[in-house]
Amino acid sequence: DSLLAKVLAIRNAKHSVDLVTYIFRKDAVGYLMLYELKRAIQRGVSVRLMVDATGSFGFSHGELKSLLAVPAGEMLDENGRKTPKKAFVEVRIFNSIFHWQYTAKRILKRTTDPLHGDWDQGTGGRYLNRRSHDKYLGIDIHDPKLALGFIGGRNVSEAYHGIPETKKSADKTYNDAEMIFRNKPTHANEPNPL
């Protein structure tokens, strides 16, 4: 199961978790992922999260920003020993609607100013519908021995992991696929987090 594999991967992360998704829903799957990310931060694992403003629509994204308030644990060095450095957390909202006021001014200038050309030639309206549909989870990507990556079509949502909201909505789940990438272990006794 993809969700279980992701949870186990986050729980076994030693240095970093990078999560990029179009949709991050406020449902059981979303809250489970937030819980696991918070626990990782407390263990000293650095977390970077990016969601799309439209796919993960919300005016404040308070649940996601709550990651910034988690007391960060001490990071580990390459030998697994704690260091005095604290884990860092970064949360990004891709093409946030809060920048649309600035974008609207730029569009008006591009479409009404003869020096800047028309809609298609200027930067104009392309920013309004600029989306990030990426779905990626990277675990310890800077360490070749530990690096693990998930890539595919599943967002962070019950519907993308086969969990219907109600019995009536069972047909509204998505049958999407993902691939897991990992370096081949060099020794038979190397741990496999999955």
Side-chain angles (χ1 to χ4, degrees), residues 39-56:
R39 286 187 55 198
I41 294 164
Q42 292 169 340
R43 286 194 325 268
V45 175
S46 294
V47 171
R48 294 187 306 170
L49 170 66
M50 186 179 86
V51 301
D52 184 84
T54 300
S56 302

Side-chain angles (χ1 to χ4, degrees), residues 10-185:
I10 293 171
R11 286 183 183 176
N12 285 286
K14 303 289 183 229
H15 305 288
S16 65
V17 174
D18 296 295
L19 177 59
V20 178
T21 186
Y22 179 66
I23 297 171
F24 199 117
R25 288 267 188 263
K26 298 176 189 177
D27 61 17
V29 170
Y31 286 116
L32 173 63
M33 293 299 278
L34 280 174
Y35 174 78
E36 295 299 335
L37 292 173
K38 287 177 181 182
R39 286 187 55 198
I41 294 164
Q42 292 169 340
R43 286 194 325 268
V45 175
S46 294
V47 171
R48 294 187 306 170
L49 170 66
M50 186 179 86
V51 301
D52 184 84
T54 300
S56 302
F57 187 75
F59 289 111
S60 69
H61 294 287
E63 292 85 359
L64 304 180
K65 291 179 184 175
S66 71
L67 292 172
L68 300 171
V70 174
E74 297 168 331
M75 296 173 73
L76 301 178
D77 66 14
E78 60 276 354
N79 296 315
R81 293 183 300 246
K82 288 188 177 184
T83 69
K85 294 180 183 178
K86 298 286 186 181
F88 70 86
V89 181
E90 185 177 2
V91 176
R92 298 283 177 150
I93 311 299
F94 183 82
N95 204 13
S96 173
I97 61 170
F98 296 109
H99 298 292
W100 284 8
Q101 182 180 15
Y102 170 73
T103 303
K105 288 179 184 176
R106 187 173 48 227
I107 289 169
L108 287 173
K109 181 173 180 153
R110 293 287 186 193
T111 58
T112 59
D113 186 344
L115 295 176
H116 290 95
D118 64 14
W119 179 273
D120 294 325
Q121 293 174 348
T123 56
R126 286 183 242 161
Y127 288 107
L128 281 177
N129 198 29
R130 191 169 169 204
R131 302 285 119 232
S132 173
H133 285 272
D134 300 341
K135 291 123 187 136
Y136 166 80
L137 174 63
I139 306 293
D140 297 327
I141 60 173
H142 298 292
D143 186 335
K145 292 179 186 173
L146 301 173
L148 185 67
F150 294 75
I151 191 165
R154 287 193 177 111
N155 288 290
V156 178
S157 165
E158 293 172 352
Y160 284 88
H161 290 280
I163 304 169
E165 291 179 31
T166 65
K167 288 182 180 179
K168 291 181 182 179
S169 66
D171 61 334
K172 294 182 181 175
T173 60
Y174 302 101
N175 188 12
D176 239 320
E178 284 178 306
M179 294 172 49
I180 301 174
F181 295 92
R182 181 172 191 266
N183 267 347
K184 186 176 170 181

